[in-house]
C-alpha cells in the first residue's frame, strides 16, 4: 500500500494532537483552516478522509509511537485515509517519515502548517508533500480568523520557539528561535475568541514570559503590559499563561500578579532540579537560590498564588545527594501540582552524548519518591480549599448525569451539580470536599456575575 491508495480530494478530516498545549492550539488552528477550505471535521479518525497526527517530541520514543499509530491507519476493508504527520516529530524526522512509512502522504513541521491546504493538493496529485521549513514570515498571518469555540476556555499562542538551549531539550531544533507575535495580532485574536464566547484565555509559548513587542503607540512592552491590555477586554474574565522560564520573570510580570484581577493566581515555573551542578549541566541558567528568590517575590505580590513546576530525575551524572536536593526544594516550595519525568535522551541534544547514565532502577526509585512528595503537597493544597467560597468557570460535562466541571482560580477541577447551571457560567461555589486530583463544590445561593 502506498500514497496512491489515499483519497485524492479529502472532504472530511480528523486532527489527533499529542503533548503540550501549544500542540492543542496548533491542532485547533489546522481544523479552522481546513474548515475554511470546505472540509468537515469527523468525530474520529475511523472514517475521516484525512487524518493529521499532530505530534510531540518531548516524550520518550515519540517517533516510534507515531509509526505505530500510522500502522493502525489501514482499515479492515484495506482502505486508508490520507495521512499527514505534523508537529515536532515531523520537524525532527522530515522526509525520513515518508521513506520509512510509505503510507504517509504529508509531512509538515509546526512552523509550516499554514501551507497544509497546498500540501493536501500536492498529495492528491501524487506529488511529494514535505515541508519542514521555518519561514521568517509569520504563519499566523496566513491563518483564518478564530472560529467560535466549543468551550468557554481557549489557548492563544503569543510566541514560539526557544533560545535557551537546555541540554536535554529538542524544542530549539523543532520549533526554532524565539519569535513574538505582534501586539495587535494577539489582541485581535483575543477579541475574536471573546466575541465567540470564550471567557478564559491561556497565553502560550515555550517561554511565554519572554514575549516582547511594541504596543499601538510604539512603546516596547513585556508580557506584563500585554496582560494588562488583555484585561481591558470586556467579557474576558480570566487570563492564564504557560510555560514560563525563571530568567524571564520580570518585575512587571510579578507585580501584575498582585495588581491585575483577571490574571489568575497560578504560576507554572519549572525549575527541573534542586541542585546547582545539575542545573548548570542542564544549561538552565538559573540557580536554586535565584529561583527561590523569584518564588518569594511572587508570593509577596500574590500570597494565595498556587505554584506548579517540572522536574527531571536521573539526569546524566545525578548522584543520590543531588537528587536529595531536589526533594528539599519540593519540600520548601510545596507546589500545588507538578509534572515529573525520568530523564530520557533526545537525539541531537548535548545531554544525549553525556556519559555516566543513571541506572533505570535508580531513576524509577527517585521518581517514585519525588511523586510521593508532590502528591502529598497537592492533596494538602486541595484539602486547604475545603470550606472556601470561590468562583469557578464551568467548562465541560462531568462523569455523572447533571454534573458539570469547572476550574477554580488556582486551576483545580471542581465537580458541581445544581439547577440552571450551564457550560460557560461563572458560578460561586462552596468547596465541600477534596480528593487528590479534584474538588467537590456546592453552588452558593446566587450565580456569580
Amino acid at each position: 500500500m502506498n500514497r496512491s491508495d489515499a483519497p485524492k480530494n479529502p472532504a472530511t478530516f480528523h486532527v489527533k494532537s499529542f503533548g503540550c498545549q501549544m500542540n492543542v492550539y496548533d491542532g485547533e488552528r489546522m481544523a479552522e483552516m481546513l474548515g475554511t477550505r470546505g472540509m468537515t471535521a469527523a468525530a474520529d479518525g475511523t472514517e475521516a478522509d484525512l487524518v493529521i497526527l499532530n505530534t510531540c517530541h518531548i516524550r520518550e520514543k515519540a517517533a516510534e509511537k507515531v509509526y505505530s499509530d500510522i500502522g493502525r491507519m489501514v482499515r479492515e476493508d484495506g482502505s486508508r485515509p490520507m495521512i499527514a504527520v505534523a508537529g515536532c516529530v515531523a520537524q525532527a524526522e522530515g522526509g525520513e517519515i515518508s521513506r520509512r512509512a510509505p503510507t504517509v502522504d504529508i509531512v509538515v513541521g509546526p512552523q509550516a502548517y499554514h501551507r497544509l491546504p497546498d500540501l493536501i493538493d500536492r498529495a492528491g496529485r501524487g506529488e511529494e508533500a514535505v515541508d519542514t521549513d521555518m519561514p521568517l514570515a509569520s504563519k499566523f498571518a496566513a491563518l483564518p480568523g478564530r472560529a467560535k469555540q466549543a468551550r468557554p476556555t481557549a489557548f492563544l499562542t503569543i510566541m514560539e520557539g526557544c533560545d535557551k538551549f537546555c541540554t536535554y531539550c529538542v524544542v530549539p531544533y523543532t520549533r526554532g528561535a524565539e519569535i513574538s507575535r505582534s501586539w495587535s495580532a494577539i489582541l485581535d485574536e483575543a477579541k475574536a475568541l471573546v466575541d465567540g464566547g470564550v471567557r478564559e484565555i491561556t497565553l502560550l509559548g515555550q517561554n511565554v514570559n519572554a514575549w516582547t513587542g511594541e504596543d499601538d503607540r510604539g512603546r516596547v512592552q513585556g508580557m506584563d503590559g500585554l496582560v494588562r491590555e488583555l484585561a481591558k477586554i470586556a467579557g474576558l474574565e480570566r487570563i492564564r499563561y504557560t510555560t514560563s522560564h525563571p530568567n524571564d520573570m520580570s518585575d512587571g510580570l510579578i507585580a501584575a500578579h498582585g495588581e491585575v484581577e483577571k490574571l489568575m493566581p497560578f504560576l507554572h515555573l519549572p525549575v527541573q532540579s534542586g541542585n546547582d551542578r545539575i542545573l548548570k549541566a542542564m544549561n538552565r541558567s538559573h540557580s536554586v537560590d535565584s529561583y527561590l528568590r523569584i518564588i518569594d517575590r511572587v508570593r509577596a505580590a500574590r500570597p494565595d498564588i498556587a505554584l506548579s513546576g517540572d522536574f527531571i530525575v536521573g539526569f546524566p551524572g545525578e548522584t543520590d545527594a543531588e537528587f536529595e536536593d531536589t526533594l528539599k526544594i519540593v519540600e520548601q516550595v510545596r507546589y500545588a501540582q507538578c509534572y515529573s519525568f525520568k530523564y530520557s535522551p533526545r537525539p541531537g541534544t548535548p545531554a544525549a552524548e553525556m556519559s555516566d547514565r543513571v541506572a533505570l532502577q535508580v531513576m524509577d526509585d527517585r521518581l517514585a519518591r519525588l511523586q510521593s512528595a508532590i502528591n502529598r503537597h497537592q492533596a494538602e493544597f486541595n484539602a486547604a480549599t475545603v470550606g472556601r467560597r470561590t468562583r469557578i468557570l464551568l467548562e465541560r460535562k462531568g462523569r455523572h448525569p447533571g454534573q458539570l466541571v469547572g476550574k477554580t482560580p488556582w486551576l483545580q477541577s471542581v465537580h458541581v451539580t445544581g439547577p440552571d447551571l450551564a457550560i460557560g457560567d461563572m458560578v460561586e461555589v462552596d468547596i465541600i470536599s477534596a480528593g487528590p486530583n479534584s474538588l467537590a463544590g456546592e453552588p452558593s445561593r446566587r450565580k456569580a456575575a
Side-chain angles (χ1 to χ4, degrees), residues 381-442:
F381 182 83
N382 287 345
T385 314
V386 175
R388 177 179 291 182
R389 177 168 293 182
T390 189
R391 297 204 314 166
I392 65 171
L393 175 60
L394 298 177
E395 298 180 6
R396 57 183 174 85
K397 293 181 179 180
R399 293 182 179 180
H400 305 294
Q403 186 183 69
L404 294 175
V405 180
K407 291 287 199 316
T408 71
W410 306 278
L411 206 63
Q412 300 152 297
S413 293
V414 181
H415 304 271
V416 63
T417 57
D420 304 320
L421 296 180
I423 292 173
D425 286 346
M426 191 76 76
V427 180
E428 194 170 74
V429 299
D430 296 313
I431 305 301
I432 58 175
S433 66
N437 300 309
S438 64
L439 310 173
E442 193 173 74

Side-chain angles (χ1 to χ4, degrees), residues 13 19 49 93 105 125 166 202 210 227 229 234 236 245 301 322-323 333 368 371 378 433:
F13 68 90
D49 298 328
E93 299 280 306
D105 305 280
R125 296 191 297 266
C166 299
T202 300
V227 166
E229 191 68 19
L236 178 59
H245 193 285
E322 289 167 339
F323 170 69
V333 175
Q371 290 180 341
Q378 180 172 329
S433 66

